[in-house]
Amino acid sequence: MIKIAVPNKGSLSEMAVKILSEAGYKSRGMTKALNIVDEANGVEFFFLRPKDIAIYVAKGLLDLGITGRDLAADSRVKVQELLPLGFGSSTFRYAAPQGQNWKVEDLDGKRIATSYPNVVRDYLTEHGMKAEVIRLDGAVEISIKLGVADVIADVVSTGNTLRQHGLEPFGEPLIDSEAVVIKRVDADVTEDEQVILKRIQGILNAYNYLMIDYNIHKDNLDAATNITPGLTGPTVSPLAREDWVAARAMVPKKQANQLMDDLSKLGAEAILASELRIARI
């Protein structure tokens, strides 16, 4: 029975549970159970605080875990990253009141409030600086106004929350984060675990790609193929219409509209984009 840690709440939890469910695994549903057993797939899921997951995995108490790269880094335990999941993307940055023109070198001797103290301490050590790191479990943005800290270090997604509190980021990101699948560093990935990873990757592929179908004149097929090369080449079938063919190819979802524009300029017709459910590539 493979034991997998899943975030028990928050945005990481919602998306992780959705992906696992679409990959064919048993869902927790509306219950608040801390663990569920999926006998059919030989998996047991444990729903834990995202900050604790890397610790359990690093100790070998759980085989795999889904958590944020930043959370794993802050735990200071050794884990290997098996698969980036493409959601929960954010950067971890310093921020200070707008208009004060802070620089990273100004942090020396200052007070820094954060929910990720170890990430900050490691950064300061790496850059030869000393500062007072104040750990807060939430509402970090208000700490400067309350006089608790001079600057903060926090997760930044859109930056809207910082702006609402009159703050702006400065310096390079301490870490670029997203949700990842992790495993203990000195443990090999088993065949059964590979099946889980491939299932998850199949769902991620479906999120990131579309299938485009279109009809094109044979004279323009090479140019169209350059636009939609697919993964190993498009599928091309003859049409009843003389000198015309039907083509089908997988394309990155983010590029789909531009690719459809380009195909239209070539004279392609009946251009259709279809969502994918699962895609093993």
Side-chain angles (χ1 to χ4, degrees), residues 95-97 100 102 109-113 134 143-144 147-152:
Q100 293 190 4
W102 277 74
K110 299 300 190 297
R111 300 170 301 166
I112 307 170
I134 302 165
S143 62
I144 297 175
V148 174
D150 302 301
V151 300
I152 67 169

Side-chain angles (χ1 to χ4, degrees), residues 50-92:
K51 281 194 171 186
D52 297 336
I53 287 175
I55 296 172
Y56 286 106
V57 172
K59 290 180 178 294
L61 302 174
L62 298 171
D63 301 300
L64 302 173
I66 297 176
T67 189
R69 184 180 292 128
D70 51 355
L71 295 168
D74 196 62
S75 70
R76 279 182 171 171
V77 295
K78 294 182 178 181
V79 293
Q80 56 177 313
E81 186 176 309
L82 300 182
L83 181 65
L85 298 176
F87 66 88
S89 298
S90 63
T91 57
F92 189 73

Side-chain angles (χ1 to χ4, degrees), residues 181-221:
V181 179
I182 59 172
K183 185 174 178 63
R184 199 178 70 200
V185 291
D186 57 352
D188 294 329
V189 180
T190 67
E191 289 187 13
D192 289 339
E193 290 169 352
Q194 285 286 6
V195 170
I196 295 170
L197 295 174
K198 287 179 180 178
R199 282 199 187 189
I200 293 173
Q201 185 64 67
I203 301 303
L204 298 178
N205 291 338
Y207 286 167
N208 295 322
Y209 287 87
L210 291 173
M211 187 68 73
I212 282 190
D213 293 88
Y214 57 92
N215 299 335
I216 190 80
H217 193 279
K218 286 182 178 180
D219 291 344
N220 295 322
L221 179 58

Side-chain angles (χ1 to χ4, degrees), residues 5-51:
V6 182
N8 65 346
K9 60 182 179 179
S11 58
L12 291 182
S13 175
E14 182 179 343
M15 196 63 186
V17 169
K18 180 182 178 183
I19 288 174
L20 289 170
S21 177
E22 292 183 1
Y25 294 103
K26 187 176 180 179
S27 174
R28 184 164 62 157
M30 299 300 291
T31 71
K32 297 295 183 180
L34 296 180
N35 71 297
I36 58 170
V37 177
D38 185 345
E39 293 282 1
N41 290 297
V43 177
E44 184 172 8
F45 295 103
F46 293 82
F47 297 88
L48 307 172
R49 287 203 325 158
K51 281 194 171 186

Side-chain angles (χ1 to χ4, degrees), residues 79-266:
V79 293
Q80 56 177 313
E81 186 176 309
L82 300 182
L83 181 65
L85 298 176
F87 66 88
S89 298
S90 63
T91 57
F92 189 73
R93 303 190 66 183
Y94 293 114
Q98 295 175 352
Q100 293 190 4
N101 298 318
W102 277 74
K103 297 180 178 60
V104 172
E105 50 266 31
D106 298 329
L107 294 171
D108 207 22
K110 299 300 190 297
R111 300 170 301 166
I112 307 170
T114 183
S115 298
Y116 297 75
N118 290 328
V119 171
V120 175
R121 290 187 183 110
D122 291 344
Y123 181 93
L124 293 171
T125 299
E126 182 182 344
H127 290 78
M129 293 185 290
K130 293 183 179 180
E132 180 184 356
V133 180
I134 302 165
R135 176 173 182 168
L136 299 175
D137 288 329
V140 175
E141 297 84 2
I142 200 66
S143 62
I144 297 175
K145 188 173 184 178
L146 291 174
V148 174
D150 302 301
V151 300
I152 67 169
D154 202 14
V155 173
V156 179
S157 295
T158 64
N160 288 336
T161 303
L162 291 180
R163 287 189 289 271
Q164 288 172 5
H165 290 85
L167 305 176
E168 61 184 359
F170 67 92
E172 63 185 12
L174 282 73
I175 188 170
D176 290 307
S177 185
E178 65 180 303
V180 293
V181 179
I182 59 172
K183 185 174 178 63
R184 199 178 70 200
V185 291
D186 57 352
D188 294 329
V189 180
T190 67
E191 289 187 13
D192 289 339
E193 290 169 352
Q194 285 286 6
V195 170
I196 295 170
L197 295 174
K198 287 179 180 178
R199 282 199 187 189
I200 293 173
Q201 185 64 67
I203 301 303
L204 298 178
N205 291 338
Y207 286 167
N208 295 322
Y209 287 87
L210 291 173
M211 187 68 73
I212 282 190
D213 293 88
Y214 57 92
N215 299 335
I216 190 80
H217 193 279
K218 286 182 178 180
D219 291 344
N220 295 322
L221 179 58
D222 287 344
T225 298
N226 288 332
I227 295 172
T228 58
L231 301 180
T232 55
T235 300
V236 179
S237 305
L239 289 174
R241 186 177 177 184
E242 187 176 356
D243 293 329
W244 279 70
V245 294
R248 159 174 279 205
M250 284 179 61
V251 301
K253 183 177 291 187
K254 291 181 179 179
Q255 301 175 20
N257 282 295
Q258 181 61 56
L259 295 175
M260 293 175 82
D261 292 340
D262 295 341
L263 289 170
S264 183
K265 290 175 183 178
L266 274 181

